[in-house]
Amino acid sequence: MSQVLSDRVLLDIEDGIATVTLNRPDKYNGLDMPMFEGITRAARTLKKQRHVRAVVMRGNGEAFCSGLDVKTVSKNPLNFLRLLTKPGRRISNLAQDVGYLWREVPAPVIAATHGYCFGGGFQIALGADFRFTTPDCRFSIMESKWGLIPDMSLTVTLRELISIDLAKELTMTARQFSGEAAHHMGLVSRVCEDPVAEAYAFARELAERSPDAMAASKLLFNRTWTASDKTALDWETRLQKKVLGRTNQRIAVARNTGDPEQPFRDRRAL
C-alpha cells in the first residue's frame, strides 16, 4: 500500500513494514514547511496503523537530510511562528514533532542515513529507535554555525545516548563527523555499506516477534531510561500486565512450542 502524504514525503506499507521516504532530493531533502508537515503526517498516520510491525525511514537522492532549508523557510517570517508555537496542550511544536513523534509510533523505527545528516536531519534520525548509516555519512549538530540552538527534540533524544559534556561539545562546535565516528560515540546503532538493506533485514527480524511485545518494549525504555528506580519498576509491572496472557503473548508461546507458522494478530493498544 503506497500513500503520497505530500510530494515531500512518501509512505509505503508492505508486509507490515512501513517505508517513510524523504523526497526532496534536489535540495538534499532539506526541511521546508511542506517537509515538516509531511514528516509529522507520516508519524501520526503510522501511530494509528496497528498492522505495522516496523518502520524504515530513508532519504531519496544523495543525502538523508541536510537540515533546515533556512533560505526557503525565511521567505515568510510567519513560518517560524508556525514552527515554534505549541498548539493547545501538546508538549511539542511542529519543529520538534519531526523528531519527537517517532518516539510515539508504537513500532520500532529505523533511520537509514547516508550522504548528509545535518541539524534538523540529525534530530529526525535521533527520534528513531535505531540508526543505521554508511561509514562516510557526514553528521553535525549544525545550528550554532548559524547562531542558533538545536530545537527539534534533541534535548530529549541525545541525552539517552551520550554524556552531557560531549553533547555540549558537538552542539557548540557544530563539528562534522563521519558515520564511523558517530558509531564510536554511540550516536548510531550500526555502520554498514547498505544501511537501507540492513534496515529492512532488521525490520523483518523484528516483525517475527509479537507486535505487542515490541510496542511495550519501546514504551518501557522511552518512559524509564532517565526515570527514578520507582518509576522504572512501576512501568515494568504496568506494561507486563498489558501483555501477559493476551492473544499475541499466547501466540508467541505457540510459535516456540510447536506451531511456528501461527500468525500474530494486529498490535493491541497499551
Side-chain angles (χ1 to χ4, degrees), residues 135-208:
D136 58 352
C137 181
R138 304 300 297 173
F139 292 87
S140 176
I141 304 172
M142 191 168 278
E143 283 77 6
S144 69
K145 179 178 179 180
W146 308 109
L148 301 169
I149 62 169
D151 66 340
M152 297 183 191
S153 75
L154 176 138
T155 51
V156 174
T157 54
L158 193 64
R159 67 186 180 191
E160 297 172 348
L161 301 175
I162 62 175
S163 62
I164 189 171
D165 57 337
L166 182 54
K168 290 176 180 177
E169 177 184 344
L170 295 178
T171 300
M172 292 176 181
T173 63
R175 181 179 302 130
Q176 293 187 31
F177 49 93
S178 68
E180 292 280 8
H183 187 255
H184 179 74
M185 288 185 277
L187 290 165
V188 300
S189 315
R190 295 187 193 178
V191 177
C192 36
E193 292 301 324
D194 191 342
V196 172
E198 292 222 14
Y200 281 124
F202 185 48
R204 288 191 291 270
E205 178 183 353
L206 296 177
E208 290 298 310

